[in-house]
């Protein structure tokens, strides 16, 4: 039996970040992976979805190219070519990650693992692995509706939708969270008639209400039928697709139905239930550093009831690896983890939402919003959007919300501002390139500091 300092169960972002950081600290590390290193993010999530959304974005640019005379011969989308593009991106990153793990001296053990005792992982097809520390990073899987008839072709989850080699003429997306709105946006760009059903009163219910509103307006302009406060009573197959019965009693017919109502932790076969470290929903119970109640057993990523994002998993992995070697890491501050959704328009935020900021900062809170209307770059690109900053009574930026083109890039600077507790006046004082979308951030910061420039 090989003995390691650290065995990581699951090679997704949480697992491989922990492994790389621990190897950097000089630990002998093994990753046990039943499928492919890179996990959901690389193979079934962040990367393939963004590759296809890039194709969708190019498809959206075609009308302008035609108007400008740059695309005289319109060509229909070739789904196989789009799939080839997606696979090329994923394969290149996958090969790069395998190479990186190898060069860092990390052993990748192929097989499905189960923690059978503290410090011992049984692996299908190979002998058990012993390690002083075990980090569970087995991620999450899609939740199904009680009434759905998932078959992967007509009634599907995001894994299936991202592998689909055709553009469905019509789609009903059940669930208006990040995964649902990204797929709705993607299919709409490629020409599908799309309806989204969201049981709560707004899309992206975890985002700021103004961001949800701006997204709903943007989707309406693009012809996406958004139905909020609408549950799904039943999904059933029909001759030419599926029928969704809403809680309002409407019957929606579509070629495909995407069920995107959330994800649950993939802990059922990890042995952790037997070890008594799971909560009632199957999440691993840990302290802020990722430590379970069992000495040497830790968890990172989607198996914890924290933010289910790849970069949150990276951050948790770093903390766990640092704690294992006796460091004194700061726990992840989840308010400062950017939330990003790559639909059109993009939605991104960091820090507090307005309702939460009102609870924390009360009367001292100032809310400042500007639109992209006066932004030259946005006008050139035909884009609309908004930036909203929340500032405390001393002018510190405590929340930032962006909807529009490149919102997921613009949020980087606002992450820095909130992490460094910058004043709005300090963000405004930074000279931004002209013309750039980032000037919308500066413009809002100027306005929040009481010194508006272009905005009123
Ligand atoms: P995972 O990435 O799920 O990896 C877990 C790994 O463990 C898998 O490789 C699995 O095969 C392996 N495993 C499971 N059980 C065992 C076992 N018993 N033995 C051995 N191996 C095992 N996040 C973002 O930040 N940005 C995005 O744009 C984004 N887009 C997304 C789009 C979609 C469609 C989806 C589904 C998710 C998206 N996410 C995004 C979320 C992101 O993918 C997850 O938060 C992230 O992958 C979680 O990382 P993880 O390491 O916890 O788990």
């Amino acid at each position: 039996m090989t003995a390691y300092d650290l065995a990581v169960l699951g090679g997704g972002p949480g697992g491989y970040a922990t492994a790389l950081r621990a190897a950097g600290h000089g630990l002998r590390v093994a990753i046990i992976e039943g499928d492919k290193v890179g996990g959901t993010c690389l193979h079934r999530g962040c990367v393939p979805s963004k590759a296809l959304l890039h194709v969708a974005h190019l498809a959206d640019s075609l009308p302008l190219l035609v108007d400008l005379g740059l695309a005289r011969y319109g060509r229909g989308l070739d789904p196989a070519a789009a799939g080839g593009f997606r696979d090329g991106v994923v394969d290149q990153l996958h090969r790069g990650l395998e190479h990186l793990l190898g060069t860092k001296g990390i052993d990748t053990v192929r097989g499905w693992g189960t923690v059978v005792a503290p410090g011992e992982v049984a692996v299908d097809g190979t002998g058990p692995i012993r390690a002083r520390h075990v980090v569970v990073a087995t991620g999450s899987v899609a939740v199904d509706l009680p009434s759905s008839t998932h078959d992967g072709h007509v009634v599907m989850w995001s894994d299936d939708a991202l592998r689909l080699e055709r553009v469905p003429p019509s789609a009903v997306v059940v669930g208006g969270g990040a995964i649902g709105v990204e797929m709705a946006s993607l299919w709409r760009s490629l020409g599908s008639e799309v309806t989204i059903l969201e049981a709560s009163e707004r899309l992206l219910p975890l985002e700021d209400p103004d961001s949800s509103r701006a997204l709903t307006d943007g989707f309406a302009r693009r012809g996406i039928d958004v139905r909020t406060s609408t549950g799904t009573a039943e999904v059933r197959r029909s001759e030419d697709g599926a029928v969704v019965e809403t809680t309002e009693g409407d019957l929606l017919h579509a070629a495909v139905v995407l069920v995107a109502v959330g994800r649950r932790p993939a802990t059922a076969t990890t042995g952790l239930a037997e070890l008594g470290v799971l909560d009632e929903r199957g999440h691993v119970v840990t302290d802020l550093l990722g430590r379970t109640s069992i000495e040497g057993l830790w968890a990172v990523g989607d198996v914890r009831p924290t933010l289910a994002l790849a970069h949150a998993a990276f951050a948790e992995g770093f903390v766990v690896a640092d704690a294992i070697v006796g460091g004194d890491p700061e726990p992840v501050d989840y308010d400062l983890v950017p939330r990003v959704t790559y639909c059109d328009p993009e939605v991104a935020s960091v820090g507090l939402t307005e309702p939460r900021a009102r609870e924390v900062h009360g009367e001292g809170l100032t809310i400042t919003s500007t639109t992209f209307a006066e932004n030259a770059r946005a006008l050139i690109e035909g884009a609309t959007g908004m930036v909203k900053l929340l500032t405390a009574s001393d002018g510190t930026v405590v929340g930032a919300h962006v909807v529009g083109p490149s919102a997921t890039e613009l949020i980087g600077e606002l992450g820095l501002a909130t992490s460094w507790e910058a004043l709005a006046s300090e963000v405004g004082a930074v000279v931004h390139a002209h013309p750039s979308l980032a000037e919308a951030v500066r413009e809002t910061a100027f306005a929040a500091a009481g010194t508006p420039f272009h905005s009123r």
Side-chain angles (χ1 to χ4, degrees):
M1 190 187 300
T2 319
Y4 290 92
D5 297 315
L6 170 63
V8 181
L9 189 58
Y16 80 71
T18 314
L20 286 169
R21 182 81 160 197
H25 288 316
L27 300 190
R28 176 130 202 255
V29 183
I31 289 184
I32 301 145
E33 171 55 62
D35 187 6
K36 291 182 191 159
V37 290
T40 303
C41 172
L42 178 52
H43 301 284
R44 300 173 293 281
C46 325
V47 177
S49 59
K50 270 80 244 182
L52 291 177
L53 280 159
H54 180 63
V55 173
H57 177 67
L58 296 177
D60 280 335
S61 318
L62 263 179
L64 179 63
L65 294 179
V66 171
D67 285 353
L68 296 174
L70 296 172
R72 276 176 220 168
Y73 310 103
R75 286 200 309 176
L77 177 85
D78 178 349
F85 173 71
R86 171 204 56 206
D87 294 345
V89 172
V90 170
D91 289 350
Q92 186 172 337
L93 290 169
H94 180 223
R95 278 198 310 276
L97 178 59
E98 284 193 317
H99 180 71
L100 180 66
L101 295 172
T103 56
K104 299 287 180 187
I106 297 166
D107 288 345
T108 303
V109 178
R110 312 277 162 188
W112 299 99
T114 308
V115 185
V116 287
E120 187 170 340
V121 183
V123 185
D124 280 359
T126 71
I129 290 201
R130 282 205 66 80
R132 284 193 298 117
H133 296 271
V134 174
V135 174
V136 176
T138 48
S140 61
V141 291
V143 170
D144 205 0
L145 287 169
S147 66
S148 113
T149 45
H150 173 263
D151 60 16
H153 299 287
V154 172
V155 181
M156 54 185 76
W157 298 323
S158 60
D159 295 10
D160 314 303
L162 292 173
R163 279 196 308 261
L164 201 64
E165 299 288 332
R166 66 195 158 93
V167 177
S170 54
V172 172
V173 174
V174 181
I179 292 174
V181 300
E182 285 186 0
M183 280 309 303
S185 184
L186 168 58
W187 277 332
R188 182 66 191 139
S189 294
L190 301 182
S192 308
E193 294 298 326
V194 180
T195 303
I196 306 187
L197 305 178
E198 167 55 46
S200 74
E201 60 188 15
R202 55 195 179 88
L203 296 179
L204 298 182
L206 302 181
E207 287 289 356
D208 190 272
D210 281 342
S211 298
S212 300
R213 243 186 308 278
L215 172 63
T216 303
D217 291 348
F219 271 10
R221 278 194 296 274
R222 298 183 57 207
I224 296 175
D225 180 5
V226 176
R227 302 192 188 188
T228 51
S229 304
T230 307
T232 299
E234 194 183 1
V235 179
R236 55 180 179 271
R237 290 291 306 268
S238 64
E239 249 175 44
D240 49 357
V243 182
V244 179
E245 185 175 344
T246 71
T247 46
E248 315 286 291
D250 291 330
L251 294 180
L252 305 173
H253 296 260
V256 299
V257 175
L258 171 68
V259 177
V261 291
R263 295 181 62 82
R264 62 182 164 78
T267 48
T269 59
T270 52
L272 297 200
E274 293 74 3
L275 292 175
V277 293
L278 299 184
D279 67 14
E280 65 290 347
R281 299 185 61 207
H283 286 111
V284 186
V285 179
T286 69
D287 65 10
L288 292 176
L289 296 183
R291 207 185 332 238
T292 69
S293 56
I294 294 177
E295 177 76 26
L297 183 64
W298 310 72
V300 299
D302 283 9
V303 291
R304 278 167 61 180
T306 50
L307 273 180
L309 288 165
H311 45 281
F314 291 147
E316 290 175 353
F318 288 1
V319 170
V320 164
D322 291 356
I324 283 175
V325 293
D328 185 20
E330 283 286 316
V332 177
D333 181 343
Y334 294 98
D335 280 339
L336 298 180
V337 174
R339 283 94 48 182
V340 284
T341 310
Y342 296 77
C343 43
D344 175 10
E346 290 188 353
V347 180
S349 64
V350 67
L352 305 179
T353 60
E354 183 181 328
R356 180 86 186 99
R358 282 195 185 285
E359 281 170 27
V360 177
H361 295 279
E363 292 298 304
L365 186 75
T366 300
I367 298 150
T368 312
S369 300
T370 67
T371 69
F372 285 18
E374 278 97 18
N375 182 282
R377 181 74 182 266
L379 192 62
I380 293 164
E381 296 182 1
T384 55
M386 67 124 194
V387 179
K388 170 172 170 178
L389 290 186
L390 308 175
T391 43
S393 53
D394 63 355
T396 309
V397 180
V398 294
H401 304 272
V402 185
V403 180
S406 303
T408 55
E409 297 292 337
L410 297 178
I411 207 64
E413 121 168 53
L414 290 164
L416 196 65
T418 43
S419 298
W420 288 8
E421 299 178 359
L423 302 174
S425 57
E426 292 171 323
V427 177
V430 177
V431 179
H432 287 60
H434 176 77
S436 67
L437 295 171
E439 283 179 293
V441 170
R442 187 182 197 203
E443 195 64 59
T444 319
F446 269 141
T451 54
F453 181 26
H454 293 97
S455 61
R456 278 170 276 274

